[in-house]
Every structure is written in C-alpha cells, then in structure tokens.
Amino acid sequence: MPPPVATMAVLRASPLPPQPLPSSSSSSTPQSQRSPRGSITSAALSRTGPHPPLLKTGCRGGAKKILLAGGGRLPCLPTKQEVGAVGGAEEERYLAREAGWGVRRMGRIGEEMRRVALVQAEAFHVPVALFNDFFFDFFKAEVLAALIYKLRNSPPDRYACLVAEEADELLQLQSQAPFEKIIGVVDCTVQDEGDILRNLQGVQEYFYVSGIAVLPSFRRRKVGTALLKACEVLALEWRQRFMALRAYEDDSSARGLYAKAGYRVVSRDPGWVTWVGRRRRVLMIKDLPVHDAQIQQQ
C-alpha cells in the first residue's frame, strides 16, 4: 500500500513497502571518474533542524539509533566506515543534468539520509488538524527507517536512491552542508512483480521508479525531468529493458510529465478500488533502447 499523499504533492509514483530484493548475478556498475568535490566529510555536515536525540547503543561499528519520544527506536544508522558493508562505494558523479540540476546516487551518510527522508515526508505527508508536527516527525521517522532497511537488504545493482541538487560547482564548494542542497528524490528498484510482468514481453524483471518527491518551492522547475533522466541512465547501466511506474489516474500533471519522458499507460487499477476510498492508479511503461549485445550478456 502506498503511503498517504499530501494534496500539495505534484510529482509522485506510488512507493512500495520495503522488502528484501533477490541477488543479481550481474556485477555493480564500475565507478571510475569520480568528482573530488562529491565527497562529503562528517565535519562538513550540520543538522537542518531539530531531530530526535541520539542515544549510543550496542550497535556494531559504533553506529547509533534514533530514540523517539514514545520510546521506540529506528534501526542503526550506518557510519561512513560501514558504507562498504552495506553495498559498496557510492556513485559521486552526476547521472544526469537538466536546467541546472544534477542527479546522483545518495551518499549513505546519516545527515544525507535524513535530508532524503525530509524531502519525501514533505511530499507524502497528509496534514492533520491536531498535533500535525508530531505526526509529521513520526511519518518522517518511518520513511527514514524504510530507507535504511532497503539500503541494508538490497544489492547495489538492485536498489538505489537518487537525489537532485543544484549542479553549480561554485555553490557546492561554498556550501558548509552539501546535503542541504538536495531538493528532489526518487527510488529505483529492480522488481519482478507478476502484475507488471504480464504487460512486458521477454523479460523476468524490470526497473521500477517510485517515491518521486520534490520540495514544494522547487516544483515546476524541471527537477522531476532531471530525476527521470537519471533513472533512465541507471536502468541502462543495470541492463534493464523496461522501466515502470505507477501514477494516480486523476493526477494529470504527473501523468503529463511521465508521458513527455516517454512512458505510456498499459493498465489501470480495477474500478472497485474507489469504493474503499482509494485513488485509482495507472501503470505506465517505458521501453529502453538496450542493444542486443547487452541483452546477451545478462
């Protein structure tokens, strides 16, 4: 079930619940040509705002847990030393550039992951009349927990979180907290759901795009276009033949963006879903121009 979607959100494809992904025999993409300015040190990071207090625990590697007000805890956040243990080195180059925005893979650093959770929570949280701040913080904590879970249970060529930021090199060098430049997010996962595969031919898996989120003040500025272009670059690197996403049938703005990017509607949710208070979704597919030589190497 997708998380609730705020009425303010414009770009979104229904995210799926986190689940461990099967291993792939294909190796991760070579990561040469790294930009020195892409590295983010712990000393350069500062918080964007109030966060739940951190409490040291018995986590391996000196990691920490978030202690919530209600007594619950989130899984341990990986430290920089643990990056290799949960999926290898990070892509620091931009996968795509568009209208001044650059899109890269998210760094597995606590503050950057919290920023990603904030961007997605801003897009998908439904405001409530009472205690809205409390419920927003709780929802953001759930998003962060899901992100950590997917990172720790997915091979690096089966799941990636991509982030959009200002691609101006001067601004990046001057920034004291580079993670604050993140203004858009998207999840990319290799999946094999039968309901989607029946609309594809000759494949046993596909590249699924979900959780597209852009901060409200940056919408309609081609951030979504940049995110979709980066998704396509990554799908080609992972040698996938089809990209898929879901959008709400009544969200003409998002559907127009996806159609312009080359996606076409292939199926819809059954009509009865509206009887139980759910919004009807459409499944959109994009064929990728994968060469035959690449397909044979899979």
Side-chain angles (χ1 to χ4, degrees):
M1 293 286 293
V5 180
T7 55
M8 69 180 79
V10 176
L11 307 178
R12 55 193 179 274
S14 305
L16 295 179
Q19 56 185 351
L21 300 175
S23 299
S24 172
S25 58
S26 59
S27 59
S28 59
T29 303
Q31 299 179 9
S32 58
Q33 301 180 354
R34 295 183 180 176
S35 171
R37 66 178 177 80
S39 59
I40 304 174
T41 62
S42 298
L45 300 178
S46 61
R47 298 185 182 279
T48 56
H51 292 283
L54 294 179
L55 179 66
K56 290 186 178 180
T57 67
C59 300
R60 293 184 298 104
K64 299 179 180 180
K65 285 186 178 181
I66 294 178
L67 179 62
L68 300 178
R73 290 178 177 177
L74 291 181
C76 299
L77 287 174
T79 62
K80 288 191 70 175
Q81 290 74 20
E82 291 182 298
V83 168
V86 292
E90 295 300 321
E91 288 277 358
E92 295 180 355
R93 62 184 175 85
Y94 286 135
L95 294 168
R97 291 173 180 259
E98 175 74 21
W101 311 114
V103 182
R104 58 174 174 82
R105 292 186 74 156
M106 180 194 70
R108 294 176 184 182
I109 301 173
E111 292 295 351
E112 187 151 312
M113 289 191 288
R114 290 189 183 95
R115 177 67 175 185
V116 167
L118 171 65
V119 173
Q120 290 190 317
E122 288 274 0
F124 297 116
H125 173 66
V126 178
V128 295
L130 297 175
F131 307 110
N132 183 66
D133 290 344
F134 170 80
F135 285 110
F136 176 80
D137 288 340
F138 187 81
F139 180 72
K140 182 172 62 176
E142 287 185 320
V143 174
L144 178 59
L147 176 62
I148 296 171
Y149 182 90
K150 287 182 286 188
L151 286 172
R152 292 192 165 186
N153 290 275
S154 307
D157 61 344
R158 309 290 287 182
Y159 170 76
C161 179
L162 306 184
V163 297
E165 62 189 5
E166 292 177 323
D168 188 295
E169 295 186 5
L170 181 59
L171 291 176
Q172 290 289 345
L173 291 172
Q174 293 176 343
S175 176
Q176 295 297 314
F179 65 90
E180 292 185 351
K181 297 295 182 181
I182 296 174
I183 45 82
V185 179
V186 63
D187 283 332
C188 305
T189 316
V190 176
Q191 297 184 357
D192 57 359
E193 182 185 334
D195 288 343
I196 294 181
L197 283 175
R198 68 168 54 101
N199 296 282
L200 311 176
Q201 293 183 351
V203 296
Q204 297 181 341
E205 61 185 21
Y206 53 88
F207 188 95
Y208 190 72
V209 178
S210 63
I212 301 179
V214 178
L215 290 177
S217 58
F218 291 92
R219 291 172 186 160
R220 300 186 184 278
R221 295 173 59 180
K222 294 189 178 297
V223 179
T225 300
L227 288 168
L228 290 175
K229 285 185 175 181
C231 289
E232 183 171 347
V233 171
L234 189 61
L236 289 170
E237 288 186 3
W238 289 357
R239 297 177 179 174
Q240 296 298 316
R241 295 181 60 188
F242 295 97
M243 299 177 68
L245 57 81
R246 288 188 174 98
Y248 289 112
E249 188 176 43
D250 58 359
D251 192 342
S252 58
S253 178
R255 287 182 58 183
L257 172 66
Y258 304 145
K260 186 179 296 185
Y263 291 82
R264 68 183 191 281
V265 175
V266 294
S267 67
R268 290 174 169 80
D269 285 343
W272 58 261
V273 299
T274 59
W275 304 346
V276 293
R278 291 169 51 188
R279 296 169 66 187
R280 195 178 185 187
R281 302 173 304 171
V282 297
L283 173 64
M284 304 184 74
I285 298 294
K286 179 173 183 176
D287 302 65
L288 293 177
V290 182
H291 298 296
D292 293 338
Q294 289 180 301
I295 298 173
Q296 293 173 2
Q297 292 175 9
Q298 294 188 27

